Amino acid sequence: MVSQPAKILNFLRKQKYNADYELSAKQGADTLAYIALLEEKLLPAVLHTFWVESDNYFTVTKPWFASQIPFPLSLILPGRMSKGALNRILLTRGQPPLYHLREVEAQIYRDAKECLNLLSNRLGTSQFFFGDTPSTLDAYVFGFLAPLYKVRFPKVQLQEHLKQLSNLCRFCDDILSSYFRLSLGGISPAGQETVDANLQKLTQLVNKESNLIEKMDDNLRQSPQLPPRKLPTLKLTPAEEENNSFQRLSP
């Protein structure tokens, strides 16, 4: 199994599938520069939107991931992933003078909006970033933008800014329609209400299970704790002590 983007690209290149084969040296350098920009400026805001923003996490992200993870890991792993995302944001962006989480949040969203503006200016009216055929940069940008563009979040701060950039939205729609067509088993627009209803039921179920575990933990903490039992000490009579010491000395 190959799961990380860089490893996927290397694997495909070894199979002689290279989306950047026709790019010039300058375009290759621009690809690396924009990928670094995405990782530094846009990724923290994406992590915050999915994993740290409480309304988005409990309404969308946690039920979404929990539905794909077997019980009881479905109650544990999403929380760990949320903490991991928060720690990554604070470690990479929580440097002086940004000491508080609110200050870090404001800064990462400013950087993300600036990054989206740069991508929009770079794309312009072109179908893809380097002409009429997709490249590695298009795949990276789509991977960041499509979830932000399509997922229905309660808090849509970054999503609203993205939807104001019409060329980036058109970029996502073109890729979705060209390379992610629904099969016969896909979800039709008419079935979206059913999906939303199932997602709501799943959210309620996960929340009930989480509350049940929390109540069990509280009951265990509040239950009376018995002191440890002490073993009784046996006292020997003088005759038994003399007999016991004689047995220890005998071979």
Side-chain angles (χ1 to χ4, degrees):
M1 296 294 292
V2 184
S3 58
Q4 298 179 4
K7 293 182 179 180
I8 292 174
L9 293 175
N10 291 333
F11 174 80
L12 292 176
R13 289 191 181 107
K14 290 179 181 179
Q15 305 299 320
K16 298 182 180 181
Y17 293 101
N18 188 357
D20 300 336
Y21 181 77
E22 296 182 355
L23 297 185
S24 64
K26 182 181 182 302
Q27 290 173 333
D30 289 344
T31 298
L32 296 178
Y34 275 99
I35 289 176
L37 178 69
L38 290 169
E39 297 284 344
E40 180 182 356
K41 299 294 186 180
L42 189 56
L43 178 58
V46 173
L47 291 175
H48 188 276
T49 300
F50 276 88
W51 294 101
V52 180
E53 178 62 54
S54 59
D55 290 342
N56 294 343
Y57 171 72
F58 286 106
T59 305
V60 177
T61 311
K62 182 179 179 180
W64 188 6
F65 276 77
S67 65
Q68 303 299 319
I69 304 174
F71 180 86
L73 295 178
S74 58
L75 302 178
I76 302 172
L77 290 183
R80 290 186 177 180
M81 296 170 73
S82 176
K83 292 180 181 178
L86 177 59
N87 290 336
R88 177 169 181 172
I89 293 173
L90 294 178
L91 287 174
T92 56
R93 308 306 299 274
Q95 300 175 355
L98 304 178
Y99 293 101
H100 301 290
L101 180 59
R102 289 296 178 187
E103 297 173 349
V104 175
E105 291 177 7
Q107 182 62 47
I108 63 176
Y109 278 105
R110 282 195 297 268
D111 292 344
K113 291 177 182 179
E114 180 182 356
C115 179
L116 292 177
N117 293 336
L118 291 174
L119 292 173
S120 178
N121 293 332
R122 178 64 183 81
L123 180 63
T125 58
S126 302
Q127 183 179 5
F128 299 106
F129 281 91
F130 297 115
D132 297 331
T133 56
S135 64
T136 298
L137 179 59
D138 297 285
Y140 263 90
V141 173
F142 176 80
F144 278 94
L145 298 188
L148 286 175
Y149 177 46
K150 287 298 184 180
V151 176
R152 298 181 180 181
F153 292 115
K155 295 292 184 67
V156 292
Q157 178 180 359
L158 193 58
Q159 191 177 64
E160 287 181 346
H161 186 80
L162 173 60
K163 290 184 176 181
Q164 294 174 1
L165 304 173
S166 58
N167 60 340
L168 293 182
C169 296
R170 185 259 310 157
F171 169 81
C172 293
D173 289 332
D174 288 346
I175 293 180
L176 286 171
S177 61
S178 299
Y179 301 100
F180 294 89
R181 294 174 182 172
L182 291 178
S183 61
L184 295 177
I187 301 174
S188 63
Q192 186 62 43
E193 296 180 358
T194 304
V195 174
D196 294 339
N198 291 336
L199 180 60
Q200 184 177 3
K201 292 180 181 179
L202 179 62
T203 303
Q204 296 173 354
L205 178 61
V206 172
N207 290 336
K208 287 182 180 179
E209 292 177 346
S210 300
N211 294 333
L212 178 61
I213 290 180
E214 291 178 359
K215 289 181 180 179
M216 292 174 62
D217 292 339
D218 292 338
N219 292 335
L220 289 175
R221 295 191 191 99
Q222 296 174 4
S223 61
Q225 302 294 326
L226 298 177
R229 296 177 59 186
K230 295 183 179 180
L231 294 176
T233 304
L234 298 177
K235 294 184 179 181
L236 301 178
T237 61
E240 289 174 337
E241 289 181 356
E242 182 179 358
N243 185 27
N244 189 28
S245 61
F246 175 76
Q247 290 178 355
R248 288 198 301 269
L249 292 176
S250 60

